[in-house]
Amino acid sequence: MLTLALDTATHDLVVGVGEQQSRRVDAQRVIRTRSHNELLVPTVNELLAEAGCTYGALEAVVVGVGPGPFTGLRVGMATASAFGQALGVPVYGVCTHDAIAAEAGDTTGKSVLVVTDARRREVYWSLYRDGQRVDGPHVSAASAIDVEGDAVDMLVVPDALRETVTVAAGEVHDLAPGVRGLLAACDPSDTPEPLTPLYLRRPDAVPPKPRPRSAALPDIKL
């Protein structure tokens, strides 16, 4: 099943094309940027040309649904939904942390902690054992990550956040949610469910508080 894979949940814009069953990656591009909205569709067009295929050849779309910031997730998920509707193909949402954990390779018998940037001096984190997510995703201060045993076999964290995470780890890697990981986190045998973003916290914007009515205004009775 030829699949378009997208993720905009982190600072990396991830776009690629691959075969779902074999997890073969035909073309992939990972761009460190915050301009996901401007770059996403042009990058998809470039990748399809690089892979030698057309939109009509796509049989599915898989997209990371976070955890991540509101703006980034909205860009990727809205674009994935639009592609799915236009092409008449299923759209699968997967946890971005699951895709990152899958990029770590065979982790049988290992515990893996995946940490990504939540901004505002916080991080998103998930814990995996034997390749399965057993805790999270959560959002908290890096110092508040609560891992049973206080040690993991592998810590996956951006280099910029490494010094803020105090959890002890046997190995440390900086991994992006690549196309192979997105394909691995997706089960095409499942019926696609509506895309649900993993914001994990309320947006910064809040409705304004009502102001008291001025005494100078006359009462109007209807």
Side-chain angles (χ1 to χ4, degrees), residues 120-212:
R120 289 189 279 176
R121 298 183 180 180
E122 292 183 321
V123 297
Y124 301 115
W125 61 274
S126 299
L127 181 65
Y128 296 79
R129 289 196 177 92
D130 291 322
Q132 300 297 317
R133 178 156 38 98
V134 296
D135 197 5
H138 301 290
V139 60
S140 71
S143 59
I145 295 176
D146 184 13
V147 177
E148 183 180 352
D150 296 325
V152 295
D153 297 304
M154 183 184 299
L155 171 62
V156 180
V157 60
D159 288 337
L161 297 176
R162 176 64 188 98
E163 297 302 320
T164 68
V165 179
T166 58
V167 176
E171 306 174 41
V172 180
H173 301 278
D174 181 358
L175 300 176
V179 173
R180 186 172 287 105
L182 289 165
L183 296 177
C186 172
D187 186 351
S189 65
D190 289 342
T191 300
E193 297 182 356
L195 298 179
T196 303
L198 294 172
Y199 294 135
L200 300 190
R201 64 186 178 199
R202 301 176 70 177
D204 293 333
V206 296
K209 294 182 179 180
R211 295 181 178 180

